[in-house]
Amino acid sequence: TGKRETVCRRLGIETSKKVAILASSNIEHEHISRETLKIFCTAMELLKSDGWTGIIKLHPVEKKSNFEPLINQYSNVILAEKEVLGVDDSLLIAECCCFYSTAFAFEALMNQVPLVVINPDERYLGESRLLIEMGGVPQARNAETLQHLFLHRKKDDLLSSQKELSTQYCSHTGHKAALNIVNQIECLLSDNSVLN
């Protein structure tokens, strides 16, 4: 918790706050980015009195200046560029990670941070469809649904449906990939029914 407190202080967030992160996506459909941001920011305003605050973690190619006009309307959300908030620190302080379609979601999944897909438009979900269909990741189409998920679904509840996907899908990625693959092969070899 000491490291978490240090990161929160650096960002100007009270250490007692629950933090939700929106990992933005560098997608070509601007209406999706705008709607995703509005849903997240509105939900964070609704959750302010419940001890939540929101951070928008910008995609590395996105510019803070493109988001400020919209974000400045909300008092409970901050913007964080990669120089200010890296992947590891994001995952350390996040109670939940929200996204539309981003590789960052898989980082969160591997690090057992609960996920929520903010889904204003299903046509361009990409990999997020896998997370919803195979991993049971909940989706929010509006701010009220997102607020409800944060207030009524506990972290363990959100994670339980995602654990199987993280072990099956993500065991072959990351810095422990080779060890995970060897362990899975050893388990298969020790199971005589697989060999017969």
Side-chain angles (χ1 to χ4, degrees):
T1 58
K3 175 99 165 115
R4 182 189 186 278
E5 291 171 356
T6 302
V7 175
C8 286
R9 278 194 213 102
R10 187 179 77 230
L11 296 169
I13 297 172
E14 293 177 31
T15 57
S16 61
K17 292 277 190 180
K18 293 177 234 162
V19 176
I21 293 195
L22 171 64
S24 68
S25 307
N26 183 34
I27 57 176
E28 59 191 66
H29 307 287
E30 195 173 308
H31 75 283
I32 294 173
S33 292
R34 247 189 337 273
E35 282 304 307
T36 302
L37 284 169
K38 285 181 190 175
I39 291 168
F40 180 78
C41 293
T42 302
M44 288 301 103
E45 288 300 308
L46 294 171
L47 290 161
K48 188 175 187 175
S49 63
D50 296 297
W52 285 87
T53 194
I55 298 174
I56 298 171
K57 180 172 177 15
L58 295 178
H59 188 277
V61 300
E62 293 176 317
K63 302 278 185 243
K64 192 174 182 178
S65 59
N66 294 344
F67 291 83
E68 287 174 326
L70 174 64
I71 304 309
N72 288 339
Q73 300 172 37
Y74 301 94
S75 63
N76 198 33
V77 177
I78 62 170
L79 284 169
E81 295 172 293
K82 66 178 181 175
E83 298 81 18
V84 175
L85 185 64
V87 171
D88 292 337
D89 286 347
S90 299
L91 299 172
L92 176 70
I93 64 171
E95 191 76 20
C96 187
C97 176
C98 301
F99 61 98
Y100 176 72
S101 181
T102 178
F104 184 80
F106 290 95
E107 291 281 348
L109 182 67
M110 288 189 296
N111 285 278
Q112 298 188 357
V113 175
L115 303 171
V116 175
V117 175
I118 298 178
N119 185 6
D121 188 333
E122 289 195 16
R123 293 177 290 175
Y124 311 105
L125 272 176
E127 307 86 21
S128 297
R129 192 171 311 282
L130 167 78
L131 294 169
I132 294 167
E133 293 172 0
M134 292 181 62
V137 174
Q139 53 184 322
R141 295 183 187 277
N142 57 51
E144 292 76 17
T145 302
L146 187 58
Q147 175 193 26
H148 179 81
L149 285 168
F150 286 168
L151 290 177
H152 301 290
R153 300 234 1 226
K154 303 295 180 221
K155 185 175 182 175
D156 289 341
D157 295 339
L158 289 169
L159 275 176
S160 66
S161 62
Q162 298 168 33
K163 280 188 179 179
E164 186 174 335
L165 180 65
S166 68
T167 55
Q168 287 182 351
Y169 185 79
C170 297
S171 65
H172 309 306
T173 61
H175 65 281
K176 294 182 181 177
L179 183 58
N180 292 335
I181 292 169
V182 168
N183 286 337
Q184 286 185 348
I185 292 170
E186 287 175 347
C187 287
L188 286 171
L189 291 175
S190 67
D191 183 2
N192 290 334
S193 65
V194 173
L195 297 174
N196 297 327

